[in-house]
Amino acid sequence: MDFDLSEEQHAFAQAAREFAEGELAPNAAKWDEEEIFPRDAFTRAGQLGFCAIYAPEAIGGLALPRLDASLVFEEMAAYDPSTTAFITIHNMATWMVGTWAQASVRDHWGPLLASGEKLASYCLTEAGSGSDAASLATRAERKGASYVLNGSKAFISGAGDTDLLVVMARTGGPGAGGVSAFAVPGDTPGIQYGRKEHKMGWNSQSTRPITFDQVEIPAENRLGEEGEGFKFAMKGLDGGRINIASCSVGAAQGAYDAARRYMGERRQFGKHLADFQALQFKLADMLTHIIASRQMVRLAASRLDSGDPQAASYCAMAKRLATDMCFQVCLDAQQIHGGYGYLKDYPLERLVRDTRVHQILEGTNEIMRVIVARQILDKGADLR
């Protein structure tokens, strides 16, 4: 087992770090404070290939492994977890379009999404079906050469600001087998966007509910075949869990670095904070949690890249471990800063707010435990 990254991977991570230092770091606090959706920043990310990191080359994607994508997202999230998280969501939706859309839709939308010229939202969650996604109620009825969508989605990142919606809707009976996926242009007649949610964190990405009222789209906008939508959605979320976990690792690294610098500068009782053994121990624990989380994320990404049959469990474990541990690292870093950690002049309070939601999204961490438990108990999986 080789834990070392290749020269190419180091170079790609360095490119992401330079983008984050030049584009995200100077603006993250302003975007958060004013709830700005930084469209220009997403476009510039697309120019560097960061809007289609693992999407197929046929649409202009880089077709890189999920491990490489995790390196990029970790570097960006050290400065701005919120904006980075939207880039991960766009990557997921772009990959789904590039992988399963029919040729006419793929050839039109794929290059636009890959370049960052157009942006996409992932529309699975509903008010009545959060973690129980297979019970979604939005319907798509076949009408000749079209489908007509009716229903609503909730908590959709980018809604109202993005150009394409990847929508999971029911075309058949109850349960996962009755769900299909569709690529729906965001300005299609009958789509209504609700009030922008005012959130604790993730303020640089807009979040709104969406209502579909007799929204008619061509049948060619369906991804894959009828009944395959839930499978596509879950495949998207396997990678999405690695992505969010990577954002948590990056944010924790940023918080750790800030705490370490502060301990070397701040003096109390005649010596630097770094000279107090209790704080040295705290810093050591924080770094241990970051490295453990990083290795778990990279293991899961490698399993997903290799097509391991237990990849979904590894992704769930990585998401649960990294988001829990790294949120605590951010809290610890804030505590080390004392009262200054509570001020918006420092990044700590923003990192805490932005990483809290990671424990909830892409399936709550309780659901992550259920996924792993089912593999162990119901299917007798050996995850050694």
Side-chain angles (χ1 to χ4, degrees), residues 316-333:
M317 288 190 290
K319 192 265 182 185
R320 205 289 301 164
L321 182 79
T323 58
D324 280 350
M325 279 192 166
C326 292
F327 175 65
Q328 186 61 50
V329 169
C330 291
L331 282 175
D332 290 341

Side-chain angles (χ1 to χ4, degrees), residues 12 20 46 48 51 64 89 118 135-136 144 151-152 155 183 208 212 226 242 244 258 292 304 323-324 336 354 370-371:
F12 206 44
L48 294 172
C51 283
L64 291 173
I89 294 167
K118 301 291 185 181
S135 67
L136 64 84
S152 62
F155 302 118
R208 294 182 176 92
F212 301 92
E226 280 198 4
I242 293 174
I244 289 298
L304 189 59
T323 58
D324 280 350
I336 286 172
D354 284 346
V370 170
I371 292 172

Side-chain angles (χ1 to χ4, degrees), residues 290-339:
I290 292 170
I291 291 177
S293 298
R294 179 180 291 127
Q295 295 305 324
M296 186 69 212
V297 169
R298 293 181 181 179
L299 172 62
S302 298
R303 294 295 175 115
L304 189 59
D305 286 332
S306 67
D308 190 298
Q310 304 300 336
S313 292
Y314 281 95
C315 293
M317 288 190 290
K319 192 265 182 185
R320 205 289 301 164
L321 182 79
T323 58
D324 280 350
M325 279 192 166
C326 292
F327 175 65
Q328 186 61 50
V329 169
C330 291
L331 282 175
D332 290 341
Q334 184 184 39
Q335 187 70 21
I336 286 172
H337 278 73

Side-chain angles (χ1 to χ4, degrees), residues 35-103:
E35 299 187 1
I36 294 171
F37 185 78
R39 185 85 189 215
D40 290 345
F42 297 132
T43 300
R44 283 188 280 274
Q47 293 168 352
L48 294 172
F50 296 149
C51 283
I53 298 172
Y54 51 88
E57 291 179 340
I59 66 167
L62 299 180
L64 291 173
R66 302 307 178 93
L67 175 58
D68 293 39
S70 75
L71 305 178
V72 170
F73 299 143
E74 180 184 330
E75 292 291 346
M76 291 183 182
Y79 301 93
D80 187 354
S82 172
T83 305
T84 303
F86 179 78
I87 293 175
T88 76
I89 294 167
H90 173 80
N91 266 269
M92 177 171 62
T94 299
W95 172 73
M96 293 177 71
V97 170
T99 303
W100 293 301
Q102 298 182 45

Side-chain angles (χ1 to χ4, degrees), residues 194-271:
R195 179 184 65 88
K196 181 179 177 180
E197 305 288 2
H198 297 290
K199 309 184 297 291
M200 173 180 171
W202 271 24
N203 289 321
S204 67
Q205 51 171 293
S206 50
T207 303
R208 294 182 176 92
I210 306 175
T211 300
F212 301 92
D213 183 10
Q214 294 294 109
V215 175
E216 187 169 349
I217 58 171
E220 65 185 16
N221 284 41
R222 188 188 66 231
L223 306 187
E225 302 297 328
E226 280 198 4
E228 292 188 309
F230 192 78
K231 176 179 68 175
F232 297 161
M234 293 302 103
K235 285 182 178 292
L237 286 181
D238 283 342
R241 286 162 184 156
I242 293 174
N243 295 346
I244 289 298
S246 300
C247 288
S248 287
V249 174
Q253 185 68 57
Y256 167 85
D257 290 341
R260 183 179 177 184
R261 287 193 301 269
Y262 184 77
M263 285 173 58
E265 299 166 357
R266 176 72 166 167
R267 294 182 66 86
Q268 290 288 277
F269 303 102
K271 57 183 179 179

